[in-house]
Amino acid sequence: MVKLIRIAPSILSADFASLGSDVKSAEEAGADILHIDVMDGHFVPNLTIGPMVVAALRHVTKLPLDVHLMIDNPDAYIPAFVKAGADIVTVHPEVCLHLHRTLQTIRGLGVKAGVALNPATPESVLQYVVSLVDLVLVMTVNPGFGGQTFIPEMLLKIKAIRQLLDAAKSCAWLSVDGGINTETVSLVVNAGADTLVAGSAIFGASVEVTEAITALRKAVNCN
Ligand code: DX5
Ligand code: ZN
Protein backbone atom coordinates (compact mmCIF):
# COMPACT_ATOMS: atom_id res chain seq x y z
CA MET A 1 0.00 0.00 0.00
CA VAL A 2 1.38 3.43 -0.93
CA LYS A 3 1.41 5.65 2.12
CA LEU A 4 0.22 9.21 1.74
CA ILE A 5 3.09 11.55 2.58
CA ARG A 6 2.60 15.29 2.99
CA ILE A 7 5.38 17.72 2.17
CA ALA A 8 5.50 20.92 4.20
CA PRO A 9 8.11 23.41 2.97
CA SER A 10 9.42 25.62 5.76
CA ILE A 11 9.73 29.23 4.66
CA LEU A 12 12.62 29.75 7.07
CA SER A 13 14.99 28.93 4.22
CA ALA A 14 13.07 30.90 1.58
CA ASP A 15 14.21 34.24 0.18
CA PHE A 16 12.46 36.71 2.48
CA ALA A 17 12.82 39.42 -0.15
CA SER A 18 10.63 37.34 -2.50
CA LEU A 19 8.59 35.37 -0.03
CA GLY A 20 5.35 35.54 -2.00
CA SER A 21 6.86 34.11 -5.16
CA ASP A 22 8.79 31.43 -3.25
CA VAL A 23 5.55 30.32 -1.59
CA LYS A 24 3.72 30.28 -4.93
CA SER A 25 6.51 28.14 -6.41
CA ALA A 26 6.15 25.68 -3.55
CA GLU A 27 2.38 25.50 -4.05
CA GLU A 28 2.73 24.98 -7.79
CA ALA A 29 5.36 22.32 -7.13
CA GLY A 30 2.85 20.24 -5.19
CA ALA A 31 3.53 21.17 -1.57
CA ASP A 32 0.71 20.09 0.75
CA ILE A 33 1.15 22.49 3.66
CA LEU A 34 3.16 25.64 4.29
CA HIS A 35 5.24 25.53 7.48
CA ILE A 36 5.84 28.90 9.11
CA ASP A 37 8.45 29.17 11.86
CA VAL A 38 7.76 31.84 14.47
CA MET A 39 10.70 32.52 16.81
CA ASP A 40 10.97 35.07 19.60
CA GLY A 41 14.62 35.14 20.67
CA HIS A 42 13.63 33.71 24.09
CA PHE A 43 12.38 30.18 23.67
CA VAL A 44 14.84 29.77 20.80
CA PRO A 45 17.94 31.83 20.00
CA ASN A 46 16.61 33.36 16.81
CA LEU A 47 14.00 35.90 15.70
CA THR A 48 11.70 35.54 12.72
CA ILE A 49 8.20 36.70 11.93
CA GLY A 50 4.84 37.56 13.46
CA PRO A 51 1.15 37.56 12.52
CA MET A 52 1.53 40.34 9.92
CA VAL A 53 3.62 38.12 7.69
CA VAL A 54 1.19 35.22 8.15
CA ALA A 55 -1.66 37.53 7.11
CA ALA A 56 0.30 38.62 4.03
CA LEU A 57 1.01 35.00 3.07
CA ARG A 58 -2.67 34.14 3.52
CA HIS A 59 -3.37 36.31 0.48
CA VAL A 60 -0.87 34.59 -1.80
CA THR A 61 -1.54 30.89 -1.16
CA LYS A 62 -4.40 28.47 -0.60
CA LEU A 63 -2.12 25.99 1.14
CA PRO A 64 -2.96 25.22 4.77
CA LEU A 65 -0.69 27.31 6.98
CA ASP A 66 0.97 25.43 9.84
CA VAL A 67 2.25 28.05 12.25
CA HIS A 68 5.00 26.56 14.43
CA LEU A 69 5.21 28.76 17.51
CA MET A 70 8.69 28.68 19.04
CA ILE A 71 7.89 31.42 21.51
CA ASP A 72 7.45 31.89 25.24
CA ASN A 73 3.87 32.37 26.41
CA PRO A 74 2.25 31.15 23.19
CA ASP A 75 -1.25 31.57 24.69
CA ALA A 76 -0.88 35.35 24.40
CA TYR A 77 -0.38 35.19 20.63
CA ILE A 78 -2.53 32.27 19.45
CA PRO A 79 -5.63 34.39 18.67
CA ALA A 80 -3.57 36.81 16.57
CA PHE A 81 -2.10 34.01 14.47
CA VAL A 82 -5.54 32.45 13.96
CA LYS A 83 -6.93 35.83 12.93
CA ALA A 84 -4.02 36.19 10.52
CA GLY A 85 -5.04 32.98 8.76
CA ALA A 86 -3.30 30.04 10.44
CA ASP A 87 -5.00 26.68 9.78
CA ILE A 88 -2.87 24.76 12.25
CA VAL A 89 -1.24 26.25 15.33
CA THR A 90 1.56 24.15 16.77
CA VAL A 91 2.83 24.82 20.29
CA HIS A 92 5.69 23.49 22.41
CA PRO A 93 4.70 21.84 25.72
CA GLU A 94 8.04 23.03 27.12
CA VAL A 95 6.50 26.53 27.34
CA CYS A 96 2.84 25.66 27.96
CA LEU A 97 2.01 25.62 31.66
CA HIS A 98 -1.41 24.20 30.81
CA LEU A 99 -0.99 22.29 27.57
CA HIS A 100 -4.46 20.75 27.74
CA ARG A 101 -6.06 24.18 28.08
CA THR A 102 -3.92 25.62 25.28
CA LEU A 103 -4.98 22.86 22.89
CA GLN A 104 -8.62 23.42 23.83
CA THR A 105 -8.14 27.12 23.12
CA ILE A 106 -6.65 26.46 19.67
CA ARG A 107 -9.45 24.11 18.68
CA GLY A 108 -11.99 26.48 20.18
CA LEU A 109 -10.78 29.10 17.72
CA GLY A 110 -11.72 26.74 14.89
CA VAL A 111 -8.28 25.57 13.75
CA LYS A 112 -6.21 22.42 14.17
CA ALA A 113 -3.96 21.99 17.19
CA GLY A 114 -0.37 20.76 16.96
CA VAL A 115 2.16 19.77 19.62
CA ALA A 116 5.90 20.08 18.89
CA LEU A 117 8.41 18.17 20.98
CA ASN A 118 12.01 19.27 21.44
CA PRO A 119 14.58 16.48 21.04
CA ALA A 120 14.92 16.06 24.82
CA THR A 121 11.17 16.05 25.49
CA PRO A 122 9.69 12.56 25.90
CA GLU A 123 6.61 11.47 23.98
CA SER A 124 4.82 10.74 27.27
CA VAL A 125 3.74 14.41 27.37
CA LEU A 126 1.17 13.45 24.73
CA GLN A 127 -0.46 10.68 26.73
CA TYR A 128 -3.29 12.62 28.34
CA VAL A 129 -3.89 15.15 25.58
CA VAL A 130 -3.90 12.90 22.53
CA SER A 131 -7.62 13.37 21.90
CA LEU A 132 -7.00 17.13 21.49
CA VAL A 133 -4.09 16.80 19.08
CA ASP A 134 -4.37 17.07 15.27
CA LEU A 135 -0.65 17.11 14.56
CA VAL A 136 2.47 15.98 16.42
CA LEU A 137 5.66 17.68 15.31
CA VAL A 138 8.79 15.78 16.28
CA MET A 139 11.74 18.14 16.30
CA THR A 140 14.58 16.20 14.74
CA VAL A 141 16.99 19.06 15.47
CA ASN A 142 17.07 21.56 18.31
CA PRO A 143 14.69 24.31 17.23
CA GLY A 144 15.93 27.73 16.17
CA PHE A 145 17.74 27.38 12.87
CA GLY A 146 17.46 25.79 9.47
CA GLY A 147 20.18 23.67 7.94
CA GLN A 148 21.06 21.60 11.01
CA THR A 149 21.88 17.90 11.11
CA PHE A 150 19.15 15.32 11.78
CA ILE A 151 19.40 13.71 15.24
CA PRO A 152 19.14 9.92 14.63
CA GLU A 153 17.93 9.13 18.18
CA MET A 154 14.64 10.79 17.20
CA LEU A 155 13.72 7.74 15.10
CA LEU A 156 12.90 5.86 18.30
CA LYS A 157 10.65 8.70 19.41
CA ILE A 158 8.85 8.77 16.05
CA LYS A 159 8.20 5.02 16.36
CA ALA A 160 6.92 5.40 19.91
CA ILE A 161 4.58 8.23 18.88
CA ARG A 162 3.30 6.20 15.93
CA GLN A 163 2.38 3.43 18.39
CA LEU A 164 0.84 5.90 20.82
CA LEU A 165 -1.32 7.47 18.09
CA ASP A 166 -2.36 4.11 16.68
CA ALA A 167 -3.22 2.79 20.15
CA ALA A 168 -5.37 5.87 20.76
CA LYS A 169 -6.96 5.44 17.29
CA SER A 170 -5.85 8.99 16.61
CA CYS A 171 -5.79 10.37 13.06
CA ALA A 172 -3.29 13.07 14.06
CA TRP A 173 -0.58 13.74 11.50
CA LEU A 174 2.92 12.72 12.56
CA SER A 175 5.26 15.37 11.29
CA VAL A 176 9.04 15.71 11.52
CA ASP A 177 11.02 18.93 11.44
CA GLY A 178 14.75 19.43 11.07
CA GLY A 179 17.43 17.94 8.87
CA ILE A 180 14.90 16.37 6.52
CA ASN A 181 16.44 15.72 3.10
CA THR A 182 16.73 12.96 0.50
CA GLU A 183 18.99 11.00 2.87
CA THR A 184 16.73 11.10 5.92
CA VAL A 185 13.18 10.97 4.51
CA SER A 186 12.98 7.21 4.16
CA LEU A 187 14.23 6.74 7.73
CA VAL A 188 11.52 8.95 9.22
CA VAL A 189 8.77 7.57 6.99
CA ASN A 190 9.73 4.00 7.86
CA ALA A 191 9.60 5.01 11.53
CA GLY A 192 6.03 6.22 11.05
CA ALA A 193 6.12 9.88 9.99
CA ASP A 194 3.56 10.98 7.38
CA THR A 195 4.33 14.69 7.12
CA LEU A 196 7.75 16.08 6.25
CA VAL A 197 8.82 19.63 7.06
CA ALA A 198 11.81 20.68 5.01
CA GLY A 199 13.44 24.09 4.72
CA SER A 200 16.96 23.99 3.36
CA ALA A 201 16.27 20.85 1.28
CA ILE A 202 13.55 22.76 -0.60
CA PHE A 203 14.35 26.47 -0.61
CA GLY A 204 18.08 26.27 0.05
CA ALA A 205 18.78 23.61 -2.55
CA SER A 206 20.85 24.30 -5.65
CA VAL A 207 17.91 23.06 -7.75
CA GLU A 208 14.46 24.57 -8.40
CA VAL A 209 11.76 24.12 -5.76
CA THR A 210 9.79 21.71 -8.00
CA GLU A 211 12.83 19.53 -8.50
CA ALA A 212 13.63 19.58 -4.78
CA ILE A 213 10.09 18.50 -3.82
CA THR A 214 10.07 15.77 -6.48
CA ALA A 215 13.42 14.51 -5.19
CA LEU A 216 12.04 14.27 -1.65
CA ARG A 217 8.96 12.35 -2.83
CA LYS A 218 11.13 9.98 -4.86
CA ALA A 219 13.51 9.42 -1.95
CA VAL A 220 10.60 8.34 0.26
CA ASN A 221 9.92 5.47 -2.10
CA CYS A 222 13.42 4.66 -3.28
CA ASN A 223 15.87 4.81 -0.36
C1 DX5 B 1 13.86 24.86 13.01
C2 DX5 B 1 12.55 24.97 12.31
C3 DX5 B 1 12.47 24.24 11.04
C4 DX5 B 1 13.49 24.61 10.00
C5 DX5 B 1 13.95 23.32 9.42
O1 DX5 B 1 13.73 25.27 14.32
O2 DX5 B 1 11.48 24.54 13.13
O3 DX5 B 1 11.15 24.26 10.48
O4 DX5 B 1 13.04 25.44 8.98
O5 DX5 B 1 14.99 23.57 8.57
P1 DX5 B 1 15.78 22.43 7.81
O6 DX5 B 1 14.78 21.66 7.00
O7 DX5 B 1 16.75 23.19 6.98
O8 DX5 B 1 16.43 21.58 8.85
ZN1 ZN C 1 9.44 24.40 12.25
Side-chain angles (χ1 to χ4, degrees):
M1 191 178 76
V2 179
K3 199 166 145 188
L4 173 73
I5 300 296
R6 298 173 203 89
I7 304 270
S10 161
I11 61 164
L12 191 62
S13 294
D15 177 356
F16 274 48
S18 355
L19 200 47
S21 67
D22 272 12
V23 165
K24 278 186 189 153
S25 310
E27 184 168 8
E28 284 161 14
D32 300 288
I33 304 160
L34 194 69
H35 185 85
I36 302 176
D37 290 302
V38 176
M39 306 185 185
D40 67 350
H42 293 274
F43 177 58
V44 290
N46 199 0
L47 288 161
T48 56
I49 59 168
M52 283 196 301
V53 176
V54 175
L57 290 175
R58 184 68 291 169
H59 294 298
V60 300
T61 180
K62 290 194 168 48
L63 288 177
L65 305 180
D66 173 21
V67 176
H68 177 193
L69 294 182
M70 286 164 277
I71 60 175
D72 280 352
N73 193 15
D75 298 85
Y77 298 95
I78 288 165
F81 282 103
V82 172
K83 195 169 172 219
D87 297 285
I88 308 167
V89 175
T90 298
V91 293
H92 276 262
E94 300 88 357
V95 282
C96 288
L97 275 179
H98 302 284
L99 178 63
H100 187 281
R101 177 182 287 151
T102 300
L103 297 173
Q104 283 180 320
T105 300
I106 296 171
R107 279 196 169 174
L109 291 168
V111 299
K112 293 189 192 313
V115 174
L117 306 183
N118 278 345
T121 302
E123 63 279 4
S124 55
V125 72
L126 297 166
Q127 191 176 352
Y128 298 105
V129 295
V130 69
S131 65
L132 290 170
V133 174
D134 300 297
L135 176 148
V136 178
L137 185 67
V138 178
M139 293 309 302
T140 39
V141 298
N142 285 297
F145 302 94
Q148 300 183 81
T149 305
F150 178 82
I151 301 172
E153 287 81 0
M154 294 304 103
L155 291 171
L156 274 182
K157 196 197 283 191
I158 298 164
K159 282 183 191 159
I161 295 174
R162 180 79 274 156
Q163 283 178 1
L164 190 152
L165 294 175
D166 289 350
K169 297 193 177 11
S170 165
C171 297
W173 298 351
L174 178 39
S175 184
V176 286
D177 186 4
I180 301 302
N181 54 40
T182 51
E183 303 295 311
T184 53
V185 279
S186 60
L187 301 174
V188 294
V189 169
N190 286 337
D194 53 38
T195 304
L196 311 171
V197 175
S200 51
I202 291 179
F203 291 115
S206 51
V207 295
E208 291 296 313
V209 167
T210 314
E211 223 177 299
I213 290 181
T214 305
L216 282 176
R217 288 205 196 275
K218 265 198 186 152
V220 170
N221 300 318
C222 300
N223 281 358

